[in-house]
Amino acid sequence: MLRIVNGRVHDPSHGVGGEVRDIYIQDGRIVSGEGLDPAQARDMETLDAAGCAVLPGGVDIHSHIAGAKVNSGRIMCPEDHYGHVRAATDVTRPGCGLIVPSTYETGYLYSQLGYTTVFEAAVPPIEARHAHEELMDIPMLDTGCFAVMGNNYLVMKVLNDPDPVRRRERLRGLVPWLLRASRAFAVKVVNPGGVEDWKWNAGAADLDTPTPPFGVTPRQIVTGLAEAVDSLGLPHPMHLHCNHLGDPGNVETTLATMETLSGHRTHFTHLQYHAYGRTKKGGFTSGAARLAEYLDAHPEFTCDVGQIVFGNTLTMTSDAPMEFKLHKMRGAKWGNCDIEMEGGSGLVPVRYAPKVLVNAIQWAVGLELLLLIKNPWQVFLTTDHPNAGPFTAYPEIIRLLMDADYRRSWLEKLHPRVRRRTVLFDLDREYDLDEIAVITRAGTARRLGLSSKGHLGAGADADVAVYPILSDKAAMFSRPRFVLKQGELVVRDGQIVAERTGRTLCVAPEGYRQLPEDLAETFAGCYTVKLANYMVEDEYLRRPEVVPCG
Amino acid sequence: MHTHVKLTLRTPPDLPVDAQSLIPESFVGKDQADIGALPLLLGNRSVTVADFFDVAILPADPGDGRTEEAREGGTLHLCGDLSRFKHIGEQMACGRVVVDGSVGSHAGAFMTGGALDVNGEAGDYLGAHMSGGRITVRGSAGHFVGAAYRGYVFGMTGGSICIHGDAGHMVGARLRRGLVAVGGSCGDLAAYGMRAGTVLIGGKSRVRAGANMVRGTVILLTPPEAIMPTFRYNCVYCPGFWPILHASLAGLGLDFPGVSPQAVFESYSGDINEGGRGEILLCRNAN
Ligand SMILES: [Zn+2]
């Protein structure tokens, strides 16, 4: 057994807000200290957390850390690897990169921030094998991936069925089959219909634009999949990247999507990119307040922000048309991949600069969402790593949330017009440690349906992060005193002291065991792989853990 | 005052050596012991300069005083076959490195100033990403002279590279600014994807010179087998800059017998796939 003593525990799931408590750990789980013989307690291995905040291990709900596009990013951005090199130590392997780190480096960097669980947010089923191979190579973290379905040919073919009962029934069979084929954890939808639309050169998809080749609309795709996810009782709701990412005025599309989905549990990802109003001349403004108001009234919805981090980064998404637009706009390097039958993907390096008005507004919009949405259980901290910035910037963002004076000090570094186009600098709210614990671990774990993560109650996984309490919150969260993974000390004073292999989290809902004949025929006729080679086998999962459906 | 340090290689190593420390900046003002203790990487093992070289600190060579670079930053004089020593002169910003012998790959990469003179051969990626200063190679150089490393948009962004012998493939690939002049012949894809700047090839160039070039000038003094079909013939003329470039190359010791300062050139625009704003100048009265 192991105990962590004298620390101020922040466990919002159990209403514990900074009281000094001891945490007991046995066999990788947190156990109750009640009824423990004091002599026995004194003899066990003890970590002294005096002057520290004890939080559950961080849970990142949306990041891009493995798979085809991350690897393409590594190939495209050697400068990132030249610039950040880690030498091997007795316990760690060498690694490089910050924006698209190598696999081991990804695990180390997350662990050094106190994160213990991370989800890869976009894996087309046909690329899942590669994604899992990389996830297996990432130490220190429990991982899982979301299967992209919003532009999937088979899904659209089923949605095209005019009989609503049969359509629902078939989708309820197909979605579990795709999840099983990719050994994924949740259903991800990226620019529903829009990617397919672009591949047919049809232009940008609005909610009711019929998408070739079946004429299914984005509205039908999101409602169909949201219904299927709800009826299957998947632990995590539909994870939605809306249409028109990055366009001025796209808040209208986002609100219309929310209205369509009201009543269905939905997670709106990197909402910052979908929260822009439009001036009369077509310029950018913030639409965050309208979205915050909507979310306040709809507890079935959650979002993560995708907070902009100033500096160089690399955008990578299944939203291929958006990347093409970005490439044309910036003249930067561009990587593009047509994911046969299942969508697309693209990569473009970008630099977010505080003096560029659009970037400054984007930066402010993310913080506005975090500060305006009243319930912290509905908004989570992400940078959509690495799209809006690398996850290593989380401590800096936490400082912006916890320190209003520091936030205001940014005003002079930003483009002067940002003051008129956003409300950020009129907001005085400061997050406290409990709220930070919600948006970085408790809330994300709950939204992901992980009952053993994001809290410190008896029975929880012993993933724990202990931070020294400092007035500079960026310093506090960038160098944890201790990090425990499955009950083992892996980070001490910000340095990796042991390497642990995590688990792969997946789901196993009831659905098609085999594709029905017509879909199997479509598959055989159109895919470049055989059906028998498509499913990811068990050996591609390291220590799989099936999270039950409710 | 300035330093003149001479390192003489005793025995060439069997393994490649990472010699990033061999730039004038790391020698100025140091005594013999300090210099001997400078680090090198042999294979994956750390070694020192003294493990390979005899170190001598010389009085200022009157010959050095003539070059401005040496006056500013000191002279590092390397003797012996250094063809397994990589990264010599990498990131140097001032001073002068003279090598009596050959150097390995990445010599003068990311250089921002000063001078690197190689009285021998050079390896691949000579002067890759350099942004200032000048490199002279008396012998031949490998592939990717002044080029970009994989994945970068721009290669060399300033300075000049002058090679008296031949060069390999992709001379000046993704060049952004500056001059690469090759006295001898070169391999395939000279000036590939060049954004701007000047690439001059004295001898024969192999296929697809100027492919995907956006802007800039490729000067070919010897006619190639073919000009790419994505280049459009313009005219025959006598470029105003040629007498000046001719004279300055002669100053660097690059002479082209049979090509006079009044030479006449055929002009081609291309690569049309990239907008057609670049040019290839083909010397008419070369033999
Ligand atoms: Zn994302």
Side-chain angles (χ1 to χ4, degrees):
Chain A
M1 273 180 100
L2 172 98
R3 58 177 190 153
I4 304 169
V5 298
N6 301 331
R8 297 186 174 278
V9 174
H10 292 270
D11 183 6
S13 304
H14 295 107
V16 182
E19 291 106 80
V20 176
R21 290 201 183 176
D22 296 350
I23 303 281
Y24 296 88
I25 292 161
Q26 189 170 30
D27 300 329
R29 297 207 169 263
I30 296 194
V31 292
S32 160
E34 269 170 55
L36 213 65
D37 177 8
Q40 199 189 341
R42 263 196 311 277
D43 290 344
M44 65 178 73
E45 193 188 339
T46 302
L47 296 174
D48 187 4
C52 293
V54 179
L55 277 67
V59 178
D60 200 334
I61 198 168
H62 187 116
S63 183
H64 299 277
I65 52 171
K69 64 190 175 326
V70 176
N71 223 21
S72 306
R74 293 189 184 113
I75 295 165
M76 254 174 77
C77 290
E79 63 274 18
D80 180 45
H81 293 179
Y82 279 107
H84 303 93
V85 177
R86 180 199 296 263
T89 67
D90 291 343
V91 288
T92 60
R93 299 196 183 207
C96 59
L98 185 77
I99 294 161
V100 271
S102 52
T103 49
Y104 279 83
E105 184 69 7
T106 303
Y108 299 149
L109 286 172
Y110 259 118
S111 194
Q112 285 180 300
L113 294 180
Y115 274 75
T116 50
T117 306
V118 178
F119 283 85
E120 158 58 50
V123 174
I126 196 170
E127 308 273 13
R129 192 182 300 274
H130 174 180
H132 281 292
E133 283 184 342
E134 275 196 43
L135 288 176
M136 270 195 292
D137 244 15
I138 298 177
M140 322 301 281
L141 304 173
D142 290 338
T143 56
C145 59
F146 303 160
V148 179
M149 298 189 192
N151 292 277
N152 186 297
Y153 194 90
L154 298 180
V155 168
M156 288 191 287
K157 188 177 159 87
V158 166
L159 279 170
N160 192 38
D161 197 324
D163 179 346
V165 180
R166 197 170 55 202
R167 183 171 68 216
R168 223 166 275 155
E169 214 34 59
R170 275 162 68 87
L171 203 57
R172 214 176 170 285
L174 179 62
V175 168
W177 184 83
L178 283 166
L179 286 169
R180 190 176 164 71
S182 49
R183 302 292 173 136
F185 183 80
V187 174
K188 171 83 180 287
V189 175
V190 177
N191 189 358
V195 182
E196 194 60 26
D197 224 32
W198 182 66
K199 280 157 69 167
W200 290 83
N201 205 11
D206 274 313
L207 269 183
D208 294 313
T209 312
T211 300
F214 296 109
V216 178
T217 65
R219 199 188 295 275
Q220 287 171 299
I221 295 171
V222 291
T223 43
L225 285 170
E227 273 173 24
V229 169
D230 271 353
S231 76
L232 290 163
L234 293 182
H236 184 48
M238 181 172 70
H239 198 99
L240 175 62
H241 157 152
C242 294
N243 302 79
H244 292 306
L245 182 147
D247 292 349
N250 63 10
V251 65
E252 305 299 340
T253 307
T254 312
L255 283 167
T257 311
M258 286 181 170
E259 251 149 54
T260 302
L261 289 168
S262 71
H264 292 290
R265 296 181 309 145
T266 309
H267 178 79
F268 291 87
T269 192
H270 40 69
L271 198 59
Q272 175 272 124
Y273 282 123
H274 304 277
Y276 308 138
R278 198 184 157 136
T279 62
K280 285 201 190 82
K281 287 181 188 158
F284 268 75
T285 58
S286 167
R290 291 174 64 193
L291 290 179
E293 202 179 313
Y294 201 90
L295 261 87
D296 285 342
H298 289 80
E300 72 271 29
F301 292 157
T302 52
C303 68
D304 64 84
V305 278
Q307 173 60 33
I308 293 289
V309 180
F310 292 123
N312 287 318
T313 192
L314 174 69
T315 61
M316 53 170 72
T317 166
S318 308
D319 197 341
M322 189 282 293
E323 293 287 17
F324 178 66
K325 222 161 69 181
L326 197 60
H327 159 66
K328 282 291 177 197
M329 200 166 80
R330 300 210 172 220
K333 291 188 273 198
W334 175 49
N336 181 62
C337 185
D338 170 26
I339 316 284
E340 50 174 307
M341 312 292 290
E342 297 184 357
S345 78
L347 300 110
V348 175
V350 295
R351 178 177 177 77
Y352 297 111
K355 291 288 181 202
V356 173
L357 180 59
V358 172
N359 296 164
I361 291 173
Q362 291 180 307
W363 181 87
V365 166
L367 292 173
E368 281 179 356
L369 285 170
L370 280 159
L371 294 166
L372 287 170
I373 295 172
K374 292 200 183 81
N375 181 359
W377 296 87
Q378 277 182 280
V379 56
F380 310 127
L381 173 61
T382 64
T383 58
D384 189 13
H385 167 84
N387 285 298
F391 63 80
T392 47
Y394 287 168
E396 171 68 18
I397 301 167
I398 290 173
R399 184 174 178 199
L400 287 165
L401 295 174
M402 294 188 78
D403 187 342
D405 289 334
Y406 176 63
R407 198 162 64 224
R408 269 179 226 112
S409 76
W410 267 86
L411 184 56
E412 62 192 59
K413 297 181 205 158
L414 302 172
H415 189 287
R417 243 177 298 161
V418 77
R419 181 97 223 211
R420 267 194 284 145
R421 306 265 183 105
T422 69
V423 297
L424 177 66
F425 293 98
D426 302 327
L427 303 176
D428 294 322
R429 179 174 168 196
E430 286 182 343
Y431 270 63
D432 61 25
L433 277 174
D434 288 311
E435 288 170 320
I436 294 294
V438 173
I439 64 167
T440 56
R441 48 262 286 162
T444 46
R446 181 179 289 181
R447 193 50 165 173
L448 286 158
L450 302 171
S451 58
S452 63
K453 294 194 184 294
H455 68 96
L456 296 170
D461 289 349
D463 294 349
V464 186
V466 180
Y467 301 97
I469 297 173
L470 304 172
S471 56
D472 177 352
K473 300 302 176 206
M476 168 173 173
F477 280 94
S478 57
R479 198 177 145 90
R481 176 73 45 84
F482 309 115
V483 178
L484 285 88
K485 179 69 196 156
Q486 287 149 34
E488 203 163 301
L489 185 67
V490 290
V491 172
R492 183 191 284 274
D493 292 327
Q495 299 304 313
I496 308 275
V497 293
E499 196 180 290
R500 288 284 294 192
T501 308
R503 282 169 291 195
T504 306
L505 302 165
C506 50
V507 289
E510 284 300 317
Y512 290 151
R513 292 254 141 212
Q514 267 179 329
L515 275 188
E517 211 168 306
D518 65 320
L519 295 181
E521 216 168 84
T522 305
F523 191 106
C526 301
Y527 270 85
T528 57
V529 294
K530 283 247 191 304
L531 194 48
N533 297 329
Y534 182 72
M535 311 289 280
V536 176
E537 296 89 351
D538 283 333
E539 46 266 41
Y540 281 89
L541 301 193
R542 63 165 178 205
R543 302 174 64 203
E545 183 177 309
V546 174
V547 177
C549 296
Chain B
M1 69 165 274
H2 79 266
T3 317
H4 182 181
V5 177
K6 184 171 179 180
L7 303 183
T8 311
L9 183 66
R10 288 192 296 269
T11 341
D14 300 327
L15 288 170
V17 176
D18 187 327
Q20 284 186 34
S21 60
L22 297 188
I23 54 174
E25 285 91 328
S26 45
F27 288 80
V28 169
K30 290 198 173 143
D31 65 17
Q32 203 155 350
D34 285 346
I35 291 170
L38 286 170
L40 296 171
L41 204 59
L42 172 72
N44 62 2
R45 212 151 44 78
S46 285
V47 294
T48 65
V49 164
D51 291 338
F52 283 104
F53 296 95
D54 291 328
V55 181
I57 297 182
L58 305 179
D61 179 350
D64 288 344
R66 271 183 267 141
T67 70
E68 208 177 311
E69 295 91 358
R71 266 202 305 279
E72 278 171 15
T75 300
L76 172 61
H77 191 164
L78 304 167
C79 297
D81 178 14
L82 295 156
S83 51
R84 303 208 92 155
F85 284 70
K86 303 188 288 182
H87 304 281
I88 290 175
E90 182 168 300
Q91 295 188 10
M92 68 184 276
C94 60
R96 183 169 179 224
V97 178
V98 182
V99 188
D100 284 327
S102 298
V103 294
S105 49
H106 309 283
F110 294 102
M111 182 169 161
T112 59
L116 170 64
D117 294 320
V118 180
N119 298 316
E121 320 274 314
D124 297 342
Y125 287 107
L126 174 76
H129 289 258
M130 80 184 273
S131 57
R134 62 177 179 81
I135 298 177
T136 311
V137 177
R138 295 276 155 191
S140 296
H143 306 303
F144 303 104
V145 174
Y149 286 137
R150 285 291 160 92
Y152 286 86
V153 177
F154 299 135
M156 177 172 166
T157 56
S160 66
I161 301 179
C162 185
I163 296 161
H164 290 247
D166 302 331
H169 302 311
M170 309 278 274
V171 175
R174 301 196 180 278
L175 183 75
R176 175 66 183 81
R177 196 177 289 118
L179 166 72
V180 181
V182 179
S185 63
C186 75
D188 298 342
L189 293 160
Y192 173 83
M194 172 169 153
R195 290 299 177 101
T198 308
V199 171
L200 178 143
I201 311 291
K204 203 88 177 158
S205 53
R206 283 175 49 183
V207 298
R208 301 196 180 96
N212 281 34
M213 72 186 285
V214 178
R215 286 181 287 126
T217 305
V218 179
I219 304 167
L220 304 177
L221 299 183
T222 308
E225 298 274 310
I227 295 264
M228 293 243 303
T230 48
F231 283 78
R232 193 181 46 223
Y233 174 73
N234 295 327
C235 62
V236 173
Y237 80 128
C238 192
F241 72 87
W242 174 246
I244 303 163
L245 183 61
H246 186 276
S248 64
L249 289 172
L252 293 169
L254 262 189
D255 285 317
F256 301 101
V259 182
S260 75
Q262 284 77 42
V264 175
F265 289 82
E266 287 174 17
S267 156
Y268 295 82
S269 291
D271 186 321
I272 288 163
N273 287 336
E274 301 292 333
R277 286 169 295 161
E279 60 177 355
I280 292 182
L281 298 177
L282 204 59
C283 186
R284 257 263 172 115
N285 57 350
N287 38 23

PDB file of all heavy atoms in Angstrom, chain A residues 75-76 78-79 82 331 333, chain B residues 110 149-153 195:
ATOM      1  N   ILE A  75       6.393  13.961 -40.623  1.00  0.00           N
ATOM      2  CA  ILE A  75       7.194  14.006 -41.842  1.00  0.00           C
ATOM      3  C   ILE A  75       7.257  15.442 -42.371  1.00  0.00           C
ATOM      4  O   ILE A  75       8.298  15.908 -42.811  1.00  0.00           O
ATOM      5  CB  ILE A  75       6.589  13.063 -42.903  1.00  0.00           C
ATOM      6  CG1 ILE A  75       6.693  11.616 -42.426  1.00  0.00           C
ATOM      7  CG2 ILE A  75       7.281  13.239 -44.250  1.00  0.00           C
ATOM      8  CD1 ILE A  75       5.840  10.646 -43.202  1.00  0.00           C
ATOM      9  N   MET A  76       6.145  16.148 -42.253  1.00  0.00           N
ATOM     10  CA  MET A  76       6.082  17.500 -42.814  1.00  0.00           C
ATOM     11  C   MET A  76       6.824  18.538 -41.987  1.00  0.00           C
ATOM     12  O   MET A  76       7.174  19.590 -42.498  1.00  0.00           O
ATOM     13  CB  MET A  76       4.618  17.932 -42.914  1.00  0.00           C
ATOM     14  CG  MET A  76       4.082  17.918 -44.312  1.00  0.00           C
ATOM     15  SD  MET A  76       2.332  18.264 -44.294  1.00  0.00           S
ATOM     16  CE  MET A  76       2.303  20.018 -44.032  1.00  0.00           C
ATOM     17  N   PRO A  78       9.935  18.650 -39.915  1.00  0.00           N
ATOM     18  CA  PRO A  78      11.199  18.289 -39.280  1.00  0.00           C
ATOM     19  C   PRO A  78      11.703  19.402 -38.365  1.00  0.00           C
ATOM     20  O   PRO A  78      12.397  19.131 -37.393  1.00  0.00           O
ATOM     21  CB  PRO A  78      12.136  18.070 -40.462  1.00  0.00           C
ATOM     22  CG  PRO A  78      11.542  18.828 -41.583  1.00  0.00           C
ATOM     23  CD  PRO A  78      10.066  18.778 -41.371  1.00  0.00           C
ATOM     24  N   GLU A  79      11.325  20.655 -38.656  1.00  0.00           N
ATOM     25  CA  GLU A  79      11.809  21.759 -37.832  1.00  0.00           C
ATOM     26  C   GLU A  79      11.360  21.593 -36.376  1.00  0.00           C
ATOM     27  O   GLU A  79      12.071  21.977 -35.453  1.00  0.00           O
ATOM     28  CB  GLU A  79      11.369  23.117 -38.399  1.00  0.00           C
ATOM     29  CG  GLU A  79       9.861  23.369 -38.452  1.00  0.00           C
ATOM     30  CD  GLU A  79       9.201  22.822 -39.716  1.00  0.00           C
ATOM     31  OE1 GLU A  79       9.819  21.968 -40.388  1.00  0.00           O
ATOM     32  OE2 GLU A  79       8.057  23.224 -39.997  1.00  0.00           O
ATOM     33  N   TYR A  82      13.906  19.082 -34.931  1.00  0.00           N
ATOM     34  CA  TYR A  82      15.239  19.660 -34.691  1.00  0.00           C
ATOM     35  C   TYR A  82      15.216  20.538 -33.441  1.00  0.00           C
ATOM     36  O   TYR A  82      16.181  20.600 -32.697  1.00  0.00           O
ATOM     37  CB  TYR A  82      15.667  20.536 -35.871  1.00  0.00           C
ATOM     38  CG  TYR A  82      16.235  19.769 -37.031  1.00  0.00           C
ATOM     39  CD1 TYR A  82      15.519  19.612 -38.199  1.00  0.00           C
ATOM     40  CD2 TYR A  82      17.512  19.219 -36.950  1.00  0.00           C
ATOM     41  CE1 TYR A  82      16.039  18.909 -39.273  1.00  0.00           C
ATOM     42  CE2 TYR A  82      18.039  18.518 -38.015  1.00  0.00           C
ATOM     43  CZ  TYR A  82      17.309  18.361 -39.171  1.00  0.00           C
ATOM     44  OH  TYR A  82      17.824  17.669 -40.212  1.00  0.00           O
ATOM     45  N   GLY A 331      -0.515  30.009 -48.278  1.00  0.00           N
ATOM     46  CA  GLY A 331       0.576  29.594 -49.145  1.00  0.00           C
ATOM     47  C   GLY A 331       1.585  28.720 -48.426  1.00  0.00           C
ATOM     48  O   GLY A 331       2.745  28.648 -48.791  1.00  0.00           O
ATOM     49  N   LYS A 333       2.971  25.025 -46.487  1.00  0.00           N
ATOM     50  CA  LYS A 333       3.030  23.604 -46.805  1.00  0.00           C
ATOM     51  C   LYS A 333       1.641  22.992 -46.616  1.00  0.00           C
ATOM     52  O   LYS A 333       0.902  23.389 -45.729  1.00  0.00           O
ATOM     53  CB  LYS A 333       3.995  22.885 -45.843  1.00  0.00           C
ATOM     54  CG  LYS A 333       5.438  23.226 -46.033  1.00  0.00           C
ATOM     55  CD  LYS A 333       6.341  22.336 -45.187  1.00  0.00           C
ATOM     56  CE  LYS A 333       6.548  22.874 -43.800  1.00  0.00           C
ATOM     57  NZ  LYS A 333       7.714  22.288 -43.108  1.00  0.00           N
TER      58      LYS A 333
ATOM     59  N   PHE B 110      23.504  26.056 -42.009  1.00  0.00           N
ATOM     60  CA  PHE B 110      22.968  27.093 -41.110  1.00  0.00           C
ATOM     61  C   PHE B 110      23.982  28.188 -40.796  1.00  0.00           C
ATOM     62  O   PHE B 110      23.853  28.900 -39.804  1.00  0.00           O
ATOM     63  CB  PHE B 110      22.458  26.486 -39.795  1.00  0.00           C
ATOM     64  CG  PHE B 110      21.267  25.601 -39.952  1.00  0.00           C
ATOM     65  CD1 PHE B 110      21.401  24.225 -39.932  1.00  0.00           C
ATOM     66  CD2 PHE B 110      20.010  26.137 -40.138  1.00  0.00           C
ATOM     67  CE1 PHE B 110      20.306  23.394 -40.095  1.00  0.00           C
ATOM     68  CE2 PHE B 110      18.902  25.331 -40.309  1.00  0.00           C
ATOM     69  CZ  PHE B 110      19.043  23.954 -40.275  1.00  0.00           C
ATOM     70  N   TYR B 149      16.692  21.113 -46.004  1.00  0.00           N
ATOM     71  CA  TYR B 149      16.488  19.779 -45.451  1.00  0.00           C
ATOM     72  C   TYR B 149      15.077  19.336 -45.764  1.00  0.00           C
ATOM     73  O   TYR B 149      14.202  20.150 -46.049  1.00  0.00           O
ATOM     74  CB  TYR B 149      16.725  19.783 -43.932  1.00  0.00           C
ATOM     75  CG  TYR B 149      18.189  19.881 -43.555  1.00  0.00           C
ATOM     76  CD1 TYR B 149      18.598  20.717 -42.535  1.00  0.00           C
ATOM     77  CD2 TYR B 149      19.144  19.128 -44.215  1.00  0.00           C
ATOM     78  CE1 TYR B 149      19.939  20.813 -42.188  1.00  0.00           C
ATOM     79  CE2 TYR B 149      20.476  19.209 -43.880  1.00  0.00           C
ATOM     80  CZ  TYR B 149      20.874  20.054 -42.862  1.00  0.00           C
ATOM     81  OH  TYR B 149      22.189  20.136 -42.534  1.00  0.00           O
ATOM     82  N   ARG B 150      14.859  18.035 -45.693  1.00  0.00           N
ATOM     83  CA  ARG B 150      13.542  17.488 -45.998  1.00  0.00           C
ATOM     84  C   ARG B 150      12.457  18.161 -45.175  1.00  0.00           C
ATOM     85  O   ARG B 150      12.609  18.306 -43.970  1.00  0.00           O
ATOM     86  CB  ARG B 150      13.528  15.990 -45.703  1.00  0.00           C
ATOM     87  CG  ARG B 150      14.258  15.177 -46.729  1.00  0.00           C
ATOM     88  CD  ARG B 150      13.505  15.196 -48.031  1.00  0.00           C
ATOM     89  NE  ARG B 150      14.344  14.846 -49.153  1.00  0.00           N
ATOM     90  CZ  ARG B 150      14.494  13.612 -49.627  1.00  0.00           C
ATOM     91  NH1 ARG B 150      13.856  12.628 -49.062  1.00  0.00           N
ATOM     92  NH2 ARG B 150      15.251  13.382 -50.657  1.00  0.00           N
ATOM     93  N   GLY B 151      11.405  18.580 -45.860  1.00  0.00           N
ATOM     94  CA  GLY B 151      10.262  19.123 -45.153  1.00  0.00           C
ATOM     95  C   GLY B 151      10.288  20.632 -44.990  1.00  0.00           C
ATOM     96  O   GLY B 151       9.306  21.217 -44.572  1.00  0.00           O
ATOM     97  N   TYR B 152      11.394  21.281 -45.313  1.00  0.00           N
ATOM     98  CA  TYR B 152      11.458  22.733 -45.178  1.00  0.00           C
ATOM     99  C   TYR B 152      11.042  23.401 -46.485  1.00  0.00           C
ATOM    100  O   TYR B 152      11.263  22.867 -47.573  1.00  0.00           O
ATOM    101  CB  TYR B 152      12.871  23.188 -44.810  1.00  0.00           C
ATOM    102  CG  TYR B 152      13.257  22.896 -43.391  1.00  0.00           C
ATOM    103  CD1 TYR B 152      13.796  21.675 -43.029  1.00  0.00           C
ATOM    104  CD2 TYR B 152      13.072  23.859 -42.398  1.00  0.00           C
ATOM    105  CE1 TYR B 152      14.151  21.413 -41.729  1.00  0.00           C
ATOM    106  CE2 TYR B 152      13.428  23.602 -41.098  1.00  0.00           C
ATOM    107  CZ  TYR B 152      13.967  22.373 -40.763  1.00  0.00           C
ATOM    108  OH  TYR B 152      14.314  22.121 -39.472  1.00  0.00           O
ATOM    109  N   VAL B 153      10.478  24.587 -46.363  1.00  0.00           N
ATOM    110  CA  VAL B 153      10.021  25.316 -47.533  1.00  0.00           C
ATOM    111  C   VAL B 153      11.202  25.984 -48.233  1.00  0.00           C
ATOM    112  O   VAL B 153      11.282  25.994 -49.453  1.00  0.00           O
ATOM    113  CB  VAL B 153       8.966  26.365 -47.130  1.00  0.00           C
ATOM    114  CG1 VAL B 153       8.542  27.174 -48.337  1.00  0.00           C
ATOM    115  CG2 VAL B 153       7.762  25.678 -46.504  1.00  0.00           C
ATOM    116  N   ARG B 195      12.981  29.288 -55.002  1.00  0.00           N
ATOM    117  CA  ARG B 195      12.060  30.410 -54.814  1.00  0.00           C
ATOM    118  C   ARG B 195      12.624  31.714 -55.366  1.00  0.00           C
ATOM    119  O   ARG B 195      11.900  32.578 -55.823  1.00  0.00           O
ATOM    120  CB  ARG B 195      11.754  30.614 -53.327  1.00  0.00           C
ATOM    121  CG  ARG B 195      10.917  29.547 -52.707  1.00  0.00           C
ATOM    122  CD  ARG B 195       9.572  29.486 -53.398  1.00  0.00           C
ATOM    123  NE  ARG B 195       8.755  28.405 -52.871  1.00  0.00           N
ATOM    124  CZ  ARG B 195       7.776  28.572 -51.989  1.00  0.00           C
ATOM    125  NH1 ARG B 195       7.483  29.761 -51.551  1.00  0.00           N
ATOM    126  NH2 ARG B 195       7.086  27.560 -51.567  1.00  0.00           N
TER     127      ARG B 195
END
